[in-house]
Amino acid sequence: MERRSVLFVLFEGVQSLDLTGPLEVFTAAAEVLRDPTAYQVRTATLDGSPIRTSSGLTLTPDTALHGCRVPHTLVVPGGHGTRSAGPRIVGWLRERAPRAQRVMSVCTGTLLLAEAGLLDGRRATTHWAYCDLLAERYPAVRVEPEAVFVRDGKVVTSAGVTTGIDLALALVEEDHGRDVALTVARHLVVFLRRPGNQAQFSAQLSAQSAQRRPLRDVQHWISEHPEADLSVEALARRSNLSPRHFARAFRAEVGMSPGRYVDRVRLEAARRRLEDSAEGIEEISRACGYGTPEAMRRAFIKALGAPPAEYRRRFQPL
């Protein structure tokens, strides 16, 4: 079995879950494989000194960065400390990261990779609150703001905080197969992994809550009845507005058109049923308003890059 060293770069103000989430995935995978060399995990700061995380935890690293060999997988977590990590860490990344076989960032760790020039010409993502900053400050980076994680060559960037777990599970699956990754996910009581191109938020979280009560009631109705007639005309009648007025008011207050909101809610509802139930795909397609399995298949491929049956396979128990 190939030995894979994993090095986490630490700094003052690092987000603790950006570090511990992926770290637990890699170490758990080594335990599942009963081979401590499968992932040899180490942590390092510039000079080997302890650091404090953004939540106040004190962490003592294994070593100093300048004494480290180039790892197989280099992991750069995020956190408020990325704003003041300083030129020495950026310089170390600029020099050493290109020699690693894989480079992974979590959350705003993407900003450190971008500052080191490692994302120029590449697709990347980061925490939703910093995607605009990433695009503005580093125009050579092709930002994908909604993705859970994005792979471009040997560089893989993930979105906010817990998405580092999704990305680490994806790498374990890539290295050792789905069964090992699923066993790790079950051990950590998380899903096998969200697909990389899945939106960072559920439909309800990605949209605003309407200010006016009739429109909020319509939002709630859509979520509770994805199988219903959710055309603009039908929803307008529920809100006692004309279709034209309803569509304009909904977009203004929710931040997206009624049709787009309905599409997201139906996709979310179908995903949950695929993950949590043994219902057939035809039954789910009707229950979530798609009408036919083919319509649901097209929606899944467009949004998630995988048909419903493949999406469900990722969540089936061993």
Side-chain angles (χ1 to χ4, degrees), residues 254-292:
V254 178
M256 64 182 69
S257 70
R260 187 181 180 197
Y261 186 80
V262 167
D263 287 345
R264 291 193 172 192
V265 167
R266 282 177 167 159
L267 184 71
E268 184 84 6
R271 281 183 45 243
R272 295 304 181 204
R273 292 176 91 113
L274 285 168
E275 294 165 8
D276 300 335
S277 77
E279 294 174 288
I281 289 177
E282 184 171 357
E283 184 180 358
I284 292 175
S285 67
R286 290 196 304 268
C288 296
Y290 288 108
T292 67

Side-chain angles (χ1 to χ4, degrees), residues 102-126:
R102 277 192 311 223
V103 179
M104 165 183 168
S105 69
V106 183
C107 197
T108 53
T110 302
L111 297 173
L112 292 179
L113 296 186
E115 182 66 22
L118 301 170
L119 300 180
D120 289 355
R122 296 184 187 271
R123 297 178 297 112
T125 193
T126 188

Side-chain angles (χ1 to χ4, degrees), residues 7 10 30 41 66 84 101 132 145 158 193 240 261 267 272 299:
L7 179 66
L10 305 187
V41 179
H66 291 289
S84 55
Q101 293 187 43
D132 288 345
S158 62
R193 65 177 173 88
N240 295 317
Y261 186 80
L267 184 71
R272 295 304 181 204

Side-chain angles (χ1 to χ4, degrees), residues 201-214:
F201 288 133
S202 66
Q204 290 78 8
L205 285 177
S206 63
Q208 304 170 45
S209 179
Q211 297 179 5
R212 283 180 280 182
R213 178 66 180 272

Side-chain angles (χ1 to χ4, degrees), residues 110-271:
T110 302
L111 297 173
L112 292 179
L113 296 186
E115 182 66 22
L118 301 170
L119 300 180
D120 289 355
R122 296 184 187 271
R123 297 178 297 112
T125 193
T126 188
H127 189 288
W128 63 268
Y130 293 91
C131 283
D132 288 345
L133 175 64
L134 178 64
E136 178 183 350
R137 185 176 293 177
Y138 307 102
V141 181
R142 303 199 301 275
V143 180
E144 297 191 4
E146 292 195 352
V148 169
F149 58 85
V150 173
R151 182 163 198 160
D152 193 323
K154 70 176 185 179
V155 180
V156 203
T157 55
S158 62
V161 194
T162 59
T163 59
I165 296 175
D166 296 290
L167 176 50
L169 284 168
L171 297 182
V172 169
E173 183 177 7
E174 175 185 300
D175 294 341
H176 300 289
R178 177 178 174 273
D179 287 353
V180 172
L182 182 54
T183 301
V184 172
R186 287 163 62 85
H187 174 72
L188 298 177
V189 198
V190 296
F191 291 128
L192 170 54
R193 65 177 173 88
R194 290 173 285 181
N197 58 353
Q198 180 178 312
Q200 293 187 31
F201 288 133
S202 66
Q204 290 78 8
L205 285 177
S206 63
Q208 304 170 45
S209 179
Q211 297 179 5
R212 283 180 280 182
R213 178 66 180 272
L215 295 181
R216 288 202 305 273
D217 289 345
V218 165
Q219 285 183 279
H220 181 72
W221 169 263
I222 292 171
S223 296
E224 294 295 319
H225 302 87
E227 80 291 347
D229 177 2
L230 301 180
S231 63
V232 169
E233 291 74 18
L235 296 176
R237 286 195 296 271
R238 296 197 66 84
S239 61
N240 295 317
L241 297 171
S242 70
R244 184 178 181 183
H245 187 187
F246 168 78
R248 289 193 303 189
F250 192 96
R251 180 186 289 274
E253 296 195 20
V254 178
M256 64 182 69
S257 70
R260 187 181 180 197
Y261 186 80
V262 167
D263 287 345
R264 291 193 172 192
V265 167
R266 282 177 167 159
L267 184 71
E268 184 84 6
R271 281 183 45 243

